[in-house]
Amino acid sequence: MYLAKINVIYKTSVLDPQGEVIKSALHRLDYQTVERVVQGKYFEVTFDAPNEKTAQQQVAAMTNDLLINPNTETYHYTLTEVAD
Amino acid sequence: MYLAKINVIYKTSVLDPQGEVIKSALHRLDYQTVERVVQGKYFEVTFDAPNEKTAQQQVAAMTNDLLINPNTETYHYTLTEVAD
Amino acid sequence: MSTTQVQEPTPNEIKDTKLYQAWGLTDAEYELIEQKLQRLPNYTETGLFSAMWSEHCSYKKSKPVLKTFWSKNDRVLQGPGEGAGILDIGDNQAVVFKAESHNHPSAVEPYEGAATGVGGILRDIFSMGAQPIAVLDSLQFGNPDQAETKRLIDGVVAGIAGYGNAIGIPTVGGATNFDATYQQNPLVNVMAVGLLNQADLHVGQARGIGNAVIYVGATTGRDGIHGATFASSEFDSHQDQNRSAVQVGDPFMEKLVMDTTLNAVREFGAHIVGIQDMGAAGLVSSTAEMADKAGRGMQLNLDRVPQREAHMTPYELMLSESQERMILVVEPEYAQSIMDLFKAQDLNAVQIGTVTDGKQYQLYFQDELVADVPVDFLTSAPKMHMAQTKPARLEKVASDYQPDLAQPSETLLALLAQPNVASKASLYRHFDCSVKANTVVKPGQADAAIVRIRQTDKALAMTTDINSRLTYLDPFIGGQRALLEAAQNIVATGATPIGITDCLNFGNPDDPEIYYELAQSVAGINDMAQLLNTPVISGNVSLYNETDGVAIHPTPMVGMVGLISNTDLIVTQNFKAVDDEIYLINPQPAEFNGSELQNMVQGQLSGALKPIDHKQVQAIMEKVQTATKRHLVQSVHDLSEGGLAVALSESLMETPFGAQVELKTPLNDIFSEVPAQFIVSVSSAQQQAFEDLMGTAAMKIGKITPVPELHIIGNDAKEIQLPMTQVKEKYKDSLWQRLQ
Amino acid sequence: MVKTAVVRFPGSNCDEDLFYALADLNLNPVFVSAQEESDLSDYAAIFLPGGFSYGDYLRTGAIARFSPIMDAVRHAADAGQLVVGICNGFQILTESGLLPGQLMQNATPGFICDEVMVNITNPNSAFTRAYTSTSVKLPIAHADGRYYADAATLQELVEHQQIILTYQDNVNGSVEQIAGITNVAGNVIGLMPHPERAMEALIGNVDGRGFFESIQASLPA
Ligand SMILES: Nc1ncnc2c1ncn2[C@@H]1O[C@H](COP(=O)(O)OP(=O)(O)O)[C@@H](O)[C@H]1O
Ligand SMILES: [Mg+2]
């Protein structure tokens, strides 16, 4: 069994309204040194695969097929083997 | 300058309808081996701090103050120093 | 960060490589620019012209047809040409409305495409100084069983909800249709309606030399660059490049911009000379059009433009279609106070330029003059004469469709389950239809939605209508019937139709057959508009709705608004009481060509449409209005897809009742679709007065019964007999289940 | 003269409806900006309206709870003035700890606009005492209306009769079908349904009137 931890964020050229509003809120809370906030999504997907290579291919496929919108988002992930 | 990458997920006792919806969608897309999907949030916060220890305290403080709701969510993060 | 400073091509390189062609300019247009400027345009200037001369901004191809629209009567305060059209509704108030298409963006990026469609049309309304009060959406999708259609529906519905609900303007109505013609090319048309105090009326003009040009709202990023050109070309399913042109909407920002703009109008109205939103071709199109309308020039300093990304070039700044941005032209003495209003809401507000004497449009960037072109030249794309040919399919008309139905009860149930007929509640339930607590008639309750006007007795009825099947069979009659259907829906609520907006969704206009369809549809709409006294006060054109060379059916959308002088005149479609009599208004020989029944049984459409009898339609529409004004009817519902059978079912849908109906015609006729027909229910007390008024225009066909059963008998002894539970289940669950 | 306050957060959008509902019952509403520190001690009741404060970005109510006005709201709650949070207002009250628990994404994700039957589970509260029936039909309009609280909190809610409204059909998956709760003292309420949209026969529903009539009856004359 594998566990993929996938972080999804907007591409840098895409407007991130949430990040901007959170940044202002942090400033108002006196975290004045905050320069930039990006809000994205995080997924943990637990799934079975015959080996690590296939597992990696599957993560990429699932992510591109469903989890992200390739027009606006990019992602990175880590993969670990976990007990069934 | 520091970059904190913060992953927020629901505590396991809290229902995550989104995760279930995504799991079913993945099954429909023929990713039948998916056992579990958790959807959470991901933040990248870039900020200044005098040293790493303070930076860590600040991440914890910002996250607890604003980014999570401690009733239902938990988080983990990584911190790296980045160029200004 | 994309910090790479790529060297822009030189004017000579642009000419030699014909780079301008990729941006949509023809050789002839480029030569014209060269001649007029007496030099080669630079990179920025070429970009300005390519955007401003795109069909989306200039309407250069559709203009000859649009000019024919009738748009004047004594209510019209503002016809086409501004952000939105305006009609006088008395008491120094006015209604402002317009429709807009977001087809291409929604095809690529359903959520953001639909969301920014809502955002854009709302800016058109509040840029006139009006408070938006309602949104309607007209959606056309392909086969509901296909996974791709489901994905599009989910995205589009969530996008409209995500934007409209958050900004707090109720989504009160619309239409959702399905046809294979939209499989690759869904249509997302949105209409917004606003309420204006006439004293607050503002238009998009940059009058007054020395006046300040102020930019307010969101920052400018690289999103949507060349969106206007993108909307003016066909869509190639194998080419992903177009995708970078989609923008992300921020309804929170828009709400702040909207509220603050309206506050500024109330507080400083007399000193605000013009307001315009930044829509297609963002900064260039808003500022150049404002200057041109006032016959002035303009100077802008692009370094002042609030920027979201580093190292943006003048070209990018001018053509970006970042959302939630507005231009205000104000008297210089008030510039600071007005900007302070916006800044108090944490919004950007910056003076980026001034109105100038003369007619030059001049852009400065890092102390250099980077564009210097005549404003009126920039805003007037060379006219185009488009060829028209009658499509071959219209030349050989098939024989009339005559149904032969062995099991009429089953046929009715099957019709009720058709995606175009079945309830859309599972979709519109995601839209907040009641925020502001002014929505008197909500989706599903009547043929049109109704929003009351607080502090008056008045209300506004509104609807959007499309019937591309009829337009496909006959573009002219189809156009007539799109308008007539809208008017029927308005009249059925007790309102008087007062005007329309439109969205003309067609294929590539360079194809003479498509241009013919466009011209004929417009002629049909126009013909009915004049007959029913509903001037065309605004609209939008969406061409190039083609994928891989196949165009959609011609699809003109009509958005109509009606006025109700007193809310006690409002009628809905539900039957109200047992023993009320049911009448069919405007009994006519049956017609089945282009009907929902034909589509269901034959899987295709054919046959001629009967020409519309003007006198008769006008008389019927007037009589229905008189009947509602005299409180003679308990319910009104117009007949559309599925004819009398479906209309009866719908009028029973939210009631505990049934109906007993006896026809003087064969039972099959209950599925006929003829224009200007209605069913009404009348209480026994009003029966005499009603019959006196209607004469032969109304025929008593049955009664409302306490037994929840729909029982219809034809003069051929055939009958439909169905328990209402079954009727309701089919109508309510079919679409929802199919979309699971 | 009784005065009431409607607090406007950036992104509030049910503020006008609420204002008209209060004016209708002569409760003399005044708009108050959430972005300034104001003194709310003069107002007999303070209303936090529905909407999408700060875009509802991050989490509903999460950013609004830090608005300058919230100290005064807290103060008013402690002083026994009535504090009412409707929809987004409810979300702000739970995020700021003035009410227990939390509002989360609907069990079936997505915004729902509908009218639903709601049981009045505590007819003696300051917000329900004018109702003569035990169930009413109220509009709902939310995407994050699923009330959640852990078992211990739920038990306390039950013990102190803080559960005021429950859904007959659990539209959003709330624990114990909860649609509205008060604090222990009974002067702070949060509810997801919108009584302010159900004030007139013209717009099809008058079941919200009892809510405001109850408040009217609970206020010092
Ligand atoms: N996309 C939509 N958004 C909002 N309301 C919709 C939508 N689609 C359909 N409706 C509503 O459903 C009801 C029936 O629509 P429709 O069958 O198109 O009516 P009609 O045939 O009378 O024009 C109307 O109240 C309409 O406003
Ligand atoms: Mg109708």
Side-chain angles (χ1 to χ4, degrees):
Chain A
M1 197 72 80
Y2 291 88
L3 169 63
K5 297 183 170 185
I6 307 159
N7 284 320
V8 176
I9 54 170
Y10 277 135
K11 293 178 179 168
T12 37
S13 59
V14 174
L15 173 72
D16 173 18
Q18 309 224 38
E20 285 300 309
V21 170
I22 296 167
K23 186 173 94 178
S24 319
L26 286 170
H27 285 177
R28 279 198 302 276
L29 288 177
D30 259 354
Y31 298 103
Q32 300 286 0
T33 69
V34 173
E35 295 258 311
R36 181 151 177 271
V37 178
V38 173
Q39 172 164 354
K41 289 183 200 137
Y42 173 59
F43 299 94
E44 292 181 357
V45 182
T46 315
F47 65 106
D48 207 6
N51 55 49
E52 181 156 343
K53 189 150 172 241
T54 327
Q56 281 184 337
Q57 287 164 346
Q58 292 226 355
V59 176
M62 285 190 249
T63 308
N64 282 307
D65 277 3
L66 186 73
L67 301 183
I68 70 160
N69 178 335
N71 298 329
T72 50
E73 294 170 328
T74 63
Y75 70 101
H76 53 269
Y77 72 93
T78 62
L79 185 72
T80 46
E81 201 167 345
V82 290
D84 280 14
Chain B
M1 198 72 82
Y2 291 89
L3 169 63
K5 298 184 170 185
I6 307 161
N7 285 312
V8 175
I9 53 168
Y10 285 129
K11 291 177 179 168
T12 37
S13 58
V14 174
L15 170 73
D16 171 20
Q18 197 91 291
E20 285 300 308
V21 171
I22 296 168
K23 189 173 95 179
S24 322
L26 285 172
H27 284 179
R28 274 199 303 277
L29 288 175
D30 257 354
Y31 297 103
Q32 301 284 0
T33 70
V34 172
E35 295 260 310
R36 182 153 175 271
V37 178
V38 172
Q39 171 163 358
K41 291 181 196 139
Y42 172 61
F43 300 94
E44 292 181 358
V45 182
T46 315
F47 66 107
D48 209 5
N51 55 51
E52 182 158 342
K53 187 145 176 246
T54 327
Q56 280 183 338
Q57 287 164 349
Q58 293 224 357
V59 176
M62 285 189 251
T63 308
N64 282 306
D65 277 2
L66 185 72
L67 300 183
I68 70 161
N69 182 326
N71 291 331
T72 48
E73 293 170 327
T74 63
Y75 71 100
H76 54 268
Y77 71 92
T78 61
L79 185 72
T80 46
E81 202 167 342
V82 291
D84 281 13
Chain C
M1 280 295 123
S2 83
T3 50
T4 37
Q5 284 276 57
V6 189
Q7 197 65 43
E8 288 177 351
T10 64
N12 281 314
E13 283 165 2
I14 294 169
K15 180 169 182 166
D16 295 344
T17 61
K18 302 201 170 195
L19 178 62
Y20 53 84
Q21 284 182 345
W23 298 348
L25 285 174
T26 63
D27 288 344
E29 286 169 339
Y30 182 83
E31 274 159 32
L32 189 70
I33 296 166
E34 186 182 339
Q35 253 173 41
K36 175 81 180 184
L37 299 184
Q38 297 192 326
R39 61 178 167 84
L40 294 181
N42 64 27
Y43 186 82
T44 304
E45 291 168 334
T46 311
L48 300 185
F49 280 101
S50 72
M52 293 299 291
W53 289 11
S54 70
E55 172 61 23
H56 199 69
C57 283
S58 71
Y59 291 103
K60 61 187 170 189
K61 295 178 180 169
S62 47
K63 214 176 228 163
V65 168
L66 299 182
K67 275 206 314 235
T68 62
F69 270 136
W70 172 70
S71 56
K72 281 203 175 65
N73 71 7
D74 42 8
R75 277 194 197 279
V76 180
L77 300 178
Q78 176 66 58
E82 279 293 337
I86 308 180
L87 294 174
D88 191 347
I89 55 168
D91 305 328
N92 298 314
Q93 287 182 316
V95 60
V96 180
F97 57 91
K98 179 169 189 292
E100 190 154 279
S101 62
H102 243 215
N103 305 336
H104 289 82
S106 305
V108 177
E109 199 41 90
Y111 183 97
E112 297 298 346
T116 54
V118 173
I121 192 66
L122 288 172
R123 284 193 294 282
D124 276 330
I125 302 300
F126 70 77
S127 67
M128 311 294 299
Q131 171 65 54
I133 58 168
V135 171
L136 297 94
D137 60 296
S138 172
L139 313 177
Q140 316 294 310
F141 296 108
N143 181 346
D145 300 324
Q146 301 232 340
E148 173 61 7
T149 306
K150 291 176 191 173
R151 185 187 75 86
L152 285 170
I153 293 177
D154 282 350
V156 166
V157 167
I160 293 170
Y163 209 101
N165 299 352
I167 195 167
I169 309 300
T171 301
V172 300
T176 318
N177 300 301
F178 300 87
D179 194 293
T181 188
Y182 307 111
Q183 193 61 48
Q184 307 283 335
N185 202 312
L187 301 184
V188 175
N189 293 177
V190 277
M191 169 175 171
V193 182
L195 185 65
L196 176 76
N197 288 320
Q198 291 183 21
D200 291 339
L201 170 55
H202 278 76
V203 292
Q205 284 196 9
R207 277 181 287 109
I209 298 162
N211 278 339
V213 178
I214 295 178
Y215 170 118
V216 302
T219 49
T220 298
R222 290 193 173 84
D223 27 358
I225 289 172
H226 263 307
T229 323
F230 164 52
S232 305
S233 58
E234 285 171 40
F235 195 62
D236 181 342
S237 60
H238 303 296
Q239 184 190 346
D240 280 346
Q241 280 172 356
N242 281 335
R243 294 192 157 199
S244 66
V246 174
Q247 315 92 15
V248 171
D250 181 355
F252 173 58
M253 172 79 77
E254 176 127 319
K255 172 137 174 66
L256 298 178
V257 172
M258 174 176 78
D259 291 351
T260 314
T261 302
L262 293 173
N263 278 342
V265 164
R266 278 177 219 121
E267 236 178 278
F268 296 101
H271 310 292
I272 299 177
V273 170
I275 309 177
Q276 175 114 16
D277 69 298
M278 286 189 235
L283 196 46
V284 54
S285 123
S286 54
T287 53
E289 279 174 16
M290 288 179 92
D292 177 55
K293 279 191 218 156
R296 291 292 167 206
M298 195 177 278
Q299 269 183 11
L300 301 179
N301 180 350
L302 302 188
D303 300 313
R304 300 232 183 119
V305 172
Q307 296 168 36
R308 195 174 79 232
E309 296 180 71
H311 309 295
M312 290 188 69
T313 64
Y315 170 91
E316 291 169 330
L317 289 167
M318 295 311 292
L319 296 193
S320 157
E321 294 188 1
S322 291
Q323 300 291 297
E324 291 95 25
R325 303 177 303 160
M326 308 282 290
I327 291 289
L328 272 60
V329 173
V330 308
E331 293 171 2
E333 310 86 80
Y334 291 88
Q336 195 55 50
S337 314
I338 291 167
M339 288 193 290
D340 287 345
L341 279 184
F342 287 90
K343 286 182 181 157
Q345 301 299 322
D346 284 333
L347 294 168
N348 293 296
V350 190
Q351 178 171 355
I352 59 165
T354 40
V355 179
T356 56
D357 200 357
K359 298 224 164 163
Q360 286 302 106
Y361 186 72
Q362 296 173 312
L363 306 178
Y364 288 88
F365 181 70
Q366 295 175 349
D367 295 326
E368 266 181 61
L369 183 62
V370 293
D372 188 3
V373 299
V375 173
D376 49 356
F377 181 58
L378 181 59
T379 55
S380 26
K383 291 218 173 52
M384 302 199 63
H385 180 77
M386 309 298 292
Q388 294 185 33
T389 332
K390 189 169 182 178
R393 72 165 192 278
L394 300 176
E395 298 287 5
K396 42 173 194 329
V397 173
S399 56
D400 288 342
Y401 167 57
Q402 275 303 336
D404 177 18
L405 307 171
Q407 293 177 300
S409 294
E410 295 309 311
T411 305
L412 174 53
L413 289 177
L415 266 176
L416 289 167
Q418 289 294 297
N420 282 341
V421 175
S423 170
K424 314 298 186 294
S426 63
L427 304 179
Y428 61 66
R429 151 186 169 85
H430 295 298
F431 305 147
D432 191 339
C433 65
S434 59
V435 59
K436 288 187 186 297
N438 291 325
T439 315
V440 180
V441 174
K442 304 189 179 84
Q445 296 181 337
D447 287 306
I450 297 185
V451 178
R452 59 97 176 263
I453 304 175
R454 278 198 200 261
Q455 274 120 26
T456 74
D457 294 328
K458 289 183 294 194
L460 294 166
M462 46 199 84
T463 181
T464 64
D465 283 280
I466 269 187
N467 196 331
S468 68
R469 291 184 184 155
L470 302 183
T471 329
Y472 174 76
L473 290 181
D474 187 322
F476 180 80
I477 297 178
Q480 287 179 311
R481 289 196 42 184
L483 191 132
L484 184 51
E485 161 88 42
Q488 287 172 225
N489 287 333
I490 293 291
V491 161
T493 63
T496 307
I498 58 172
I500 74 150
T501 183
D502 64 77
C503 246
L504 304 171
N505 307 280
F506 288 82
N508 185 343
D510 298 340
D511 176 340
E513 296 197 348
I514 287 176
Y515 204 84
Y516 172 91
E517 294 175 343
L518 172 69
Q520 287 296 307
S521 303
V522 164
I525 291 174
N526 210 23
D527 171 70
M528 271 296 122
Q530 279 167 280
L531 183 76
L532 300 176
N533 195 19
T534 53
V536 185
I537 61 162
S538 58
N540 174 265
V541 180
S542 170
L543 302 176
Y544 305 96
N545 288 291
E546 313 210 334
T547 302
D548 303 330
V550 182
I552 59 164
H553 287 176
T555 313
M557 186 279 269
V558 172
M560 186 179 283
V561 170
L563 180 62
I564 298 174
S565 57
N566 194 311
T567 51
D568 70 9
L569 294 170
I570 294 169
V571 213
T572 60
Q573 74 187 27
N574 287 338
F575 289 147
K576 301 295 182 307
V578 167
D579 286 344
D580 281 359
E581 305 282 352
I582 304 169
Y583 289 82
L584 171 65
I585 294 183
N586 192 21
Q588 291 292 325
E591 286 178 56
F592 300 97
N593 297 339
S595 65
E596 190 64 45
L597 184 70
Q598 183 185 31
N599 184 63
M600 183 174 86
V601 174
Q602 299 199 311
Q604 59 166 32
L605 304 165
S606 61
L609 301 180
K610 219 154 112 207
I612 288 186
D613 179 339
H614 283 184
K615 272 214 184 102
Q616 185 209 4
V617 162
Q618 201 173 26
I620 293 291
M621 297 299 275
E622 272 169 19
K623 281 198 165 151
V624 174
Q625 291 182 66
T626 310
T628 56
K629 289 211 174 85
R630 292 196 198 151
H631 297 279
L632 296 179
V633 286
Q634 301 300 312
S635 70
V636 186
H637 189 24
D638 81 318
L639 271 51
S640 55
E641 286 101 338
L644 180 55
V646 167
L648 279 168
S649 310
E650 286 175 343
S651 286
L652 287 166
M653 205 53 67
E654 298 299 324
T655 76
F657 315 131
Q660 173 75 30
V661 171
E662 260 176 67
L663 303 175
K664 297 187 180 68
T665 56
L667 186 69
N668 280 356
D669 289 11
I670 197 137
F671 302 110
S672 139
E673 292 181 25
V674 175
Q677 289 189 311
F678 299 81
I679 50 167
V680 301
S681 59
V682 179
S683 68
S684 54
Q686 249 110 34
Q687 213 179 313
Q688 192 57 51
F690 176 77
E691 287 185 2
D692 290 348
L693 167 71
M694 300 307 286
T696 54
M699 181 167 78
K700 196 195 291 185
I701 56 168
K703 223 184 206 1
I704 300 168
T705 61
V707 200
E709 182 185 81
L710 180 57
H711 190 191
I712 310 171
I713 309 172
N715 71 353
D716 51 359
K718 285 194 191 171
E719 63 183 331
I720 288 176
Q721 191 163 15
L722 287 167
M724 280 309 296
T725 46
Q726 222 178 333
V727 171
K728 289 179 185 179
E729 196 184 285
K730 274 284 177 240
Y731 180 78
K732 290 188 177 176
D733 295 343
S734 295
L735 181 62
W736 169 80
Q737 281 167 349
R738 245 171 122 165
L739 291 175
Q740 281 303 293
Chain D
M1 188 182 76
V2 169
K3 277 204 304 178
T4 55
V6 175
V7 180
R8 279 176 147 159
F9 295 85
S12 292
N13 65 29
C14 304
D15 45 336
E16 275 176 42
D17 338 4
L18 194 48
F19 184 95
Y20 285 114
L22 294 168
D24 191 356
L25 293 187
N26 299 314
L27 289 168
N28 303 306
V30 174
F31 285 122
V32 174
S33 165
Q35 289 163 290
E36 285 155 29
E37 294 175 26
S38 307
D39 181 0
L40 295 174
S41 51
D42 276 356
Y43 300 99
I46 292 136
F47 293 83
L48 313 192
F52 289 68
S53 54
Y54 293 94
D56 271 356
Y57 295 147
L58 187 56
R59 289 185 310 282
T60 57
I63 297 178
R65 81 168 156 123
F66 293 109
S67 305
I69 197 71
M70 287 308 289
D71 280 340
V73 172
R74 201 176 300 274
H75 205 268
D78 291 344
Q81 291 156 265
L82 297 186
V83 175
V84 179
I86 300 175
C87 199
N88 195 226
F90 188 9
Q91 294 158 344
I92 296 170
L93 291 176
T94 55
E95 276 285 337
S96 49
L98 283 166
L99 288 174
Q102 191 183 348
L103 280 317
M104 303 182 64
Q105 187 182 50
N106 295 346
T108 305
F111 193 99
I112 321 169
C113 177
D114 209 340
E115 289 192 306
V116 297
M117 291 307 296
V118 173
N119 292 325
I120 298 171
T121 37
N122 179 348
N124 304 316
S125 81
F127 310 96
T128 49
R129 57 175 55 133
Y131 278 113
T132 50
S133 62
T134 55
S135 67
V136 291
K137 186 159 88 175
L138 291 176
I140 53 162
H142 60 247
D144 297 88
R146 175 167 54 101
Y147 184 76
Y148 169 82
D150 57 29
T153 311
L154 278 177
Q155 197 175 344
E156 279 188 33
L157 289 176
V158 173
E159 267 166 30
H160 298 104
Q161 300 185 345
Q162 289 169 256
I163 302 173
I164 307 297
L165 302 171
T166 55
Y167 303 107
Q168 283 185 4
D169 262 343
N170 202 352
V171 275
N172 53 26
S174 295
V175 286
E176 302 295 328
Q177 331 240 108
I178 286 174
I181 56 164
T182 62
N183 61 350
V184 177
N187 66 317
V188 178
I189 189 173
L191 68 164
M192 288 314 294
H194 287 275
E196 80 281 12
R197 297 191 193 179
M199 297 293 289
E200 291 165 84
L202 176 63
I203 57 169
N205 192 340
V206 293
D207 282 3
R209 294 193 75 85
F211 182 79
F212 293 97
E213 284 162 2
S214 302
I215 290 172
Q216 195 180 37
S218 307
L219 294 179

